[in-house]
Amino acid sequence: MRNQAESKGSIKQPQRDIPVYAEVDVMVAGGGPAGIGAALAAARNGASVLLVEQHGYLGGMATVSQVPAFCPYTDQEKPVIRGIGFEILEDMKRRMEEEFQQTWKDRYDWVPIDSEVLKRLLDEKMADAGVRVLYHTFVGDVVHEAGTVQAAILHNKSGTQAVKAKLYVDATSDADITWHAGGQFAKGGEEGELQPGTMCFVLHNLDRSRFLAQAETSGRDLKHAIHKAKAAGELKVAREWAGISWLNAHTAGFNFGHVFGIDGSDADDLSRGAIEGRALVHHIVQWLKGAVPGFEQACLGQTGEQVGIRETRRIVGDYVVTADDFLDCRSFPDDIARNAYFIDIHMAKPTSGMTMVHLPAGQSHGIPYRAMLPVGIDNVIVAGRAISTDRATQGSTRVMPNCFAMGEAAGTAAALLAQSGRTASRRVDMEALQRQLMRQGAWIGEEAQARLKQTAP
Ligand SMILES: Cc1cc2nc3c(=O)[nH]c(=O)nc-3n(C[C@H](O)[C@H](O)[C@H](O)COP(=O)(O)OP(=O)(O)OC[C@H]3O[C@@H](n4cnc5c(N)ncnc54)[C@H](O)[C@@H]3O)c2cc1C
């Protein structure tokens, strides 16, 4: 247990026995894209898997915070994120209305997310794969010794319980397990600055045709309207941009507005983010109704349960992926995924700017397995937003398709290790892992795939 700085002293908790809730091969903490990829991959590879999620559904930011679209799966030429992430994207599309299916057929970039469709799809996928899911449960601590996590401590309606696993996949996005186990971290920029949060939301009762026709005939899009309203002091947002993801002709998800100064690994900040985020959404929706043709009858369907968090802790892992690796499109012998998404760092203050750096079409860099291994900890693999990168690269690797891919690799590695009786994450047979990822349909880059094919056993 690590204590955050506290001004009101501390109490001593009496020693007590904690009942063991489950003993499994692999425990996955966090049910976002990384945790989903990890749990499915581990179970499909024969491991007994417990997936623990603090909310009552899976999806992570896509459902918890209503982030309305999947970032690109492609490098603008071909999908680089394949495997489980791709399967979920395509299965979600198949469950949508006919019009959505037609619009997004053979398209893999910026596909809108229907959070309710996604939640049910993921429940079914977990059941099919044999993953045991424990909802409404927070991983609040670990018992660890000499770099090995012996148990995760869970808190829920049933009280406090322990889970013993051979390996733990930490997909909490803040690397909570690693933090409790005494891992090393970096966070934010040189002055501790963090990307802002956003309270995403869903609007119903929109008139998409009118909205699009007006923009086309006037030549003035939403950006223009935001610019004008900001200048007139009618709209208090920092950026003249709104991400709109249409689910149908009347309903869209919005990624619009920033909440600044929120550290998503701090409970007080999260509470402030929720309150400020909802107030900002109310302000934005009132403005949209009054100023944007087609949005006059807009009805707020949902805000995120939690303000969307872009950045908190990054683990210090066996390898730190850097902006040079990104820019040089480097490959590594232990690549387990590729990333082609641009560096996309949102401004930490209302007055500062965005940082965006794109790779040329067709280019990507490797994500090495070592970036998921927290220094000094043996049986924890970190997948998703918190992997070991510098700040710039985190602005790129953090998006959902990448997190699915990292999760798939972490879960596959954990299952292979558990089956071979090893619990030390560093003892994975790298070639066996890469081959298995390929068999599952994941993509680790042309060179690596060719090399492995040449030396096929
Ligand atoms: C406003 C915003 C807009 C974005 N826009 C896009 C976009 O358009 N497209 C895109 O692809 N990506 C986007 N991203 C990035 C992306 O959504 C996240 O970086 C990504 O979801 C991270 O995946 P993850 O699996 O690492 O973590 P998350 O999605 O954050 O999931 C972590 C899960 O772990 C659970 N959890 C956390 N701690 C614990 C604990 N201690 N115990 C139990 N459960 C726990 C959480 O409840 C959550 O379900 C956006 C992010 C934000 C915030």
Side-chain angles (χ1 to χ4, degrees):
M1 158 95 68
R2 283 221 200 154
N3 290 320
Q4 280 181 296
E6 248 294 344
S7 57
K8 297 194 170 60
S10 61
I11 59 149
K12 197 173 267 325
Q13 190 180 29
Q15 278 215 330
R16 57 175 173 157
D17 290 339
I18 295 175
V20 175
Y21 169 76
E23 260 189 77
V24 288
D25 292 331
V26 181
M27 190 193 111
V28 179
I36 294 160
L40 288 177
R44 288 175 184 177
N45 278 289
S48 57
V49 181
L50 177 73
L51 171 56
V52 180
E53 164 57 47
Q54 63 178 325
H55 296 284
Y57 45 78
L58 302 176
M61 287 290 104
T63 51
V64 175
S65 298
Q66 296 295 320
V67 169
F70 287 116
C71 277
Y73 276 66
T74 76
D75 61 8
Q76 303 169 62
E77 289 181 355
K78 61 187 174 301
V80 294
I81 304 300
R82 304 182 194 175
I84 287 173
F86 198 78
E87 168 192 325
I88 287 166
L89 177 77
E90 292 300 278
D91 282 356
M92 187 200 76
K93 283 189 206 169
R94 274 191 277 279
R95 293 183 177 211
M96 300 294 287
E97 288 169 20
E98 185 60 29
E99 190 224 4
F100 185 101
Q101 292 192 32
Q102 289 310 321
T103 307
W104 292 99
K105 190 170 183 299
D106 301 327
R107 290 171 67 185
Y108 312 111
D109 295 352
W110 302 112
V111 178
I113 298 169
D114 185 320
S115 62
E116 290 305 318
V117 169
L118 190 63
K119 285 178 194 172
R120 225 161 44 80
L121 171 70
L122 295 171
D123 282 341
E124 290 171 21
K125 286 217 171 281
M126 294 301 154
D128 289 348
V131 174
R132 182 171 172 190
V133 179
L134 185 64
Y135 284 139
H136 303 295
T137 299
F138 191 72
V139 183
D141 205 352
V142 300
V143 177
H144 65 103
E145 200 180 308
T148 299
V149 171
Q150 289 151 340
I153 306 299
L154 315 184
H155 304 293
N156 59 24
K157 257 313 205 199
S158 308
T160 300
Q161 293 163 314
V163 171
K164 290 162 85 174
K166 292 178 182 153
L167 286 120
Y168 299 82
V169 176
D170 186 349
T172 56
S173 69
D174 304 314
D176 285 359
I177 288 200
T178 311
W179 186 65
H180 288 297
Q184 297 173 30
F185 291 94
K187 194 198 263 184
E190 278 170 19
E191 288 161 20
E193 70 273 23
L194 291 166
Q195 294 191 52
T198 294
M199 182 63 87
C200 298
F201 56 96
V202 177
L203 292 184
H204 300 298
N205 234 12
L206 306 174
D207 184 338
R208 182 177 60 188
S209 310
R210 224 164 90 67
F211 171 72
L212 295 177
Q214 194 278 339
E216 197 161 305
T217 49
S218 70
R220 290 177 172 175
D221 57 10
L222 186 57
K223 192 172 172 187
H224 177 264
I226 298 172
H227 177 73
K228 231 174 77 187
K230 273 189 66 175
E234 292 161 9
L235 182 62
K236 293 178 179 47
V237 293
R239 194 179 168 209
E240 291 169 3
W241 176 88
I244 306 184
S245 302
W246 292 94
L247 291 171
N248 58 43
H250 306 291
T251 300
F254 287 71
N255 174 0
F256 189 7
H258 286 129
V259 183
F260 293 95
I262 305 290
D263 176 349
S265 59
D266 180 284
D268 282 328
D269 277 16
L270 276 177
S271 304
R272 185 163 56 80
I275 294 163
E276 286 183 17
R278 279 191 288 272
L280 181 61
V281 169
H282 178 72
H283 167 69
I284 290 172
V285 173
Q286 292 310 109
W287 175 77
L288 287 170
K289 286 169 74 138
V292 181
F295 288 5
E296 296 86 349
Q297 305 301 322
C299 166
L300 179 60
Q302 204 171 3
T303 52
E305 181 174 342
Q306 178 207 287
V307 66
I309 296 297
R310 294 185 172 85
E311 179 179 22
T312 62
R313 307 176 187 121
R314 308 187 302 275
I315 61 158
V316 176
D318 287 5
Y319 186 82
V320 182
V321 188
T322 65
D324 284 344
D325 297 330
F326 174 94
L327 292 168
D328 295 344
C329 296
R330 271 185 205 144
S331 299
F332 303 91
D334 56 336
D335 276 342
I336 45 79
R338 305 287 299 180
N339 168 41
Y341 186 64
F342 56 97
I343 290 177
D344 179 11
I345 307 176
H346 290 233
M347 66 271 244
K349 293 184 194 147
T351 47
S352 39
M354 301 278 293
T355 303
M356 292 187 187
V357 184
H358 288 77
L359 290 177
Q363 301 292 307
S364 61
H365 71 88
I367 301 180
Y369 178 67
R370 283 164 296 158
M372 301 198 295
L373 306 183
V375 161
I377 302 175
D378 277 344
N379 60 340
V380 176
I381 307 176
V382 176
R385 169 156 70 69
I387 65 158
S388 175
T389 66
D390 63 12
R391 181 164 192 248
T393 312
Q394 192 269 349
S396 167
T397 50
R398 67 187 175 91
V399 296
M400 290 187 265
N402 292 338
C403 292
F404 279 125
M406 294 182 240
E408 178 167 0
T412 306
L416 294 182
L417 284 161
Q419 270 152 21
S420 63
R422 298 174 188 159
T423 55
S425 59
R426 289 167 183 82
R427 294 191 62 202
V428 76
D429 177 339
M430 185 48 57
E431 194 176 311
L433 171 60
Q434 290 174 324
R435 281 190 195 287
Q436 184 54 24
L437 288 172
M438 274 172 63
R439 258 181 239 123
Q440 289 165 197
W443 197 66
I444 56 173
E446 270 125 17
E447 266 173 54
Q449 311 249 128
R451 172 175 49 82
L452 288 168
K453 271 187 193 142
Q454 262 175 14
T455 57

